[in-house]
Amino acid sequence: MLDRRTFTKAVGLGAGTTALSLAALPPAAGAAPATVGAPAVAPAEARTGFARLAQVRAGLLDVGYAEDGPADGPVVICLHGWPYDIHSYADVAPLLAAQGFRVIVPHLRGHGSTRFLSGRTVRNAQQSAVALDVLALMDALGVRRAVLAGFDWGSRTADILAALWPERVKALVSVSGYLITNVEMQKEPLAPAAEHTWWYQFYFATERGRAAMENRDKRRELCRLVWREVSPTWAFDDAVFDRTAAAFDNPDYAAIVIHNYRWRLGLADGERRYDHLERQLAARPRITVPTVTLDPGRDPFTAPGDGSSYRDLFTGPYLHRTLPEVGHNVPQEAPEAFARAVLDADRL
């Protein structure tokens, strides 16, 4: 295992790729300022693949996942959001692998090569079902305990595991803080500007929105528009988008995306077998595991107050950082800052 207290090694990603360096990151835990810059990685030079791709049966799914780093290293599980896939972590994974971590990046249900084992399984994307997928993956891979790191759906999923199964979570990195959904609270309207930012959520509540998700060309056009709106400073190119958009061709993609957003608004039912978990989550359980939260400053969904709106929900060792010029897809826009957050969370 490499010494994770030494962050001066530049990590080469192979011919024709960018050499990312943890030395460019802000100071280590305990010395980090509240607001830090994020080193830029040019999309045209970013890493395009992973060390290993694999499939494993886990719970209701045959999960497709990427893996990097030593097989006997401490585990970090990195969780993507919507509309993204495992490639959000293509640059983060080698940074963490070079520090001795075993990095696992799964496609969430309905994405990429992840498939339901049965055609009879409800295509359900309520938050507790997605969280149980990750727990089943850990069991299938023999991972007793891991650092969990995510953004968007991935933050929510990691937050849930940390809140309900803290014995399985060594530490947490959560972009945008505490994202566990309370469906009843979702019924309260937000300020008009905030509601405008969520336009696609309301679009998905209509049959027109469902039809758009089921149409390959319209789906890609919509997802690319979301990328531009939520990451205004990220100059991604066609190759970067197309690599991720291939994951949207999963046969269950439309059903999973539509159910997720309708369920959050109380417009679609969940399954009764998850009711007991949703009741626990509705109570806004505190997260006690060591946590680093990241607020992307150019993400329109970032709440004002520099993390103050959710600070009391994290009761264990804690660090918060704001990344001023970074948008929603933090691990892909600022891989070094994200990797540093994982290293610091592991040391809290």
Side-chain angles (χ1 to χ4, degrees):
M1 167 69 95
L2 296 174
D3 180 7
R4 280 177 252 147
R5 295 179 181 272
T6 302
F7 303 118
T8 57
K9 179 179 179 181
V11 182
L13 301 182
T17 58
T18 299
L20 303 179
S21 173
L22 289 175
L25 294 172
T35 301
V36 298
V41 176
E45 299 176 349
R47 194 171 188 242
T48 59
F50 292 90
R52 296 180 295 281
L53 296 175
Q55 298 283 142
V56 65
R57 290 194 169 204
L60 301 174
L61 304 172
D62 181 22
V63 179
Y65 66 99
E67 186 169 352
D68 207 340
D72 60 350
V75 177
V76 178
I77 298 176
C78 297
L79 301 169
H80 68 80
W82 182 88
Y84 307 96
D85 82 328
I86 61 174
H87 289 95
S88 289
Y89 296 98
D91 292 312
V92 169
L95 291 172
L96 296 175
Q99 297 296 324
F101 287 97
R102 178 188 179 191
V103 186
I104 297 168
V105 190
H107 280 292
L108 299 183
R109 57 169 58 191
H111 293 72
S113 61
T114 292
R115 296 289 189 273
F116 286 91
L117 295 174
S118 171
R120 295 187 299 274
T121 302
V122 177
R123 271 39 178 179
N124 175 1
Q126 72 183 100
Q127 61 183 357
S128 55
V130 178
L132 285 172
D133 290 345
V134 178
L135 202 62
L137 175 65
M138 293 174 68
D139 290 342
L141 296 178
V143 175
R144 187 184 65 82
R145 200 161 174 249
V147 177
L148 298 184
F151 74 104
D152 195 87
W153 290 22
S155 285
R156 180 172 298 106
T157 303
D159 290 351
I160 290 168
L161 287 163
L164 298 188
W165 295 279
E167 70 280 2
R168 304 297 297 272
V169 181
K170 185 176 187 293
L172 171 70
V173 174
S174 185
V175 173
S176 303
Y178 190 94
L179 294 187
I180 295 174
T181 297
N182 182 312
V183 174
E184 286 302 311
M185 290 177 63
Q186 290 280 95
K187 295 178 181 178
E188 290 295 319
L190 303 173
E195 298 280 27
H196 178 267
T197 302
W198 283 103
W199 64 268
Y200 56 84
Q201 179 173 246
F202 306 118
Y203 185 41
F204 293 159
T206 71
E207 288 308 296
R208 284 166 64 102
R210 180 194 291 277
M213 278 289 99
E214 291 174 345
N215 180 289
R216 185 176 186 271
D217 291 338
K218 288 185 172 63
R219 176 171 69 231
R220 289 191 175 213
E221 185 178 356
L222 185 152
C223 291
R224 186 167 185 139
L225 174 61
V226 171
W227 276 34
R228 291 200 303 268
E229 289 187 346
V230 303
S231 296
T233 59
W234 184 29
F236 63 89
D237 62 17
D238 290 345
V240 168
F241 177 77
D242 290 344
R243 188 173 66 237
T244 285
F248 309 159
D249 294 334
N250 183 298
D252 296 308
Y253 185 77
I256 289 298
V257 172
I258 294 299
H259 184 266
N260 179 279
Y261 287 100
R262 291 185 179 184
W263 177 84
R264 288 199 226 174
L265 292 176
L267 302 176
D269 292 333
E271 293 181 80
R272 288 198 170 183
R273 59 173 154 172
Y274 304 124
D275 283 354
H276 66 294
L277 297 176
E278 296 298 345
R279 284 193 293 270
Q280 293 178 63
L281 296 172
R284 293 172 69 79
R286 269 45 178 179
I287 291 174
T288 60
V289 306
T291 298
V292 175
T293 57
L294 299 173
D295 271 0
R298 297 302 300 273
D299 181 354
F301 301 117
T302 297
D306 197 27
S308 60
S309 63
Y310 53 74
R311 176 63 186 92
D312 64 330
L313 295 167
F314 296 94
T315 59
Y318 182 80
L319 285 173
H320 173 78
R321 293 178 182 142
T322 296
L323 308 177
E325 295 303 315
V326 178
H328 190 72
N329 184 4
V330 172
Q332 200 161 3
E333 296 180 57
E336 292 176 325
F338 192 92
R340 182 49 178 268
V342 171
L343 294 170
D344 286 344
D346 184 59
R347 297 173 60 216
L348 283 176

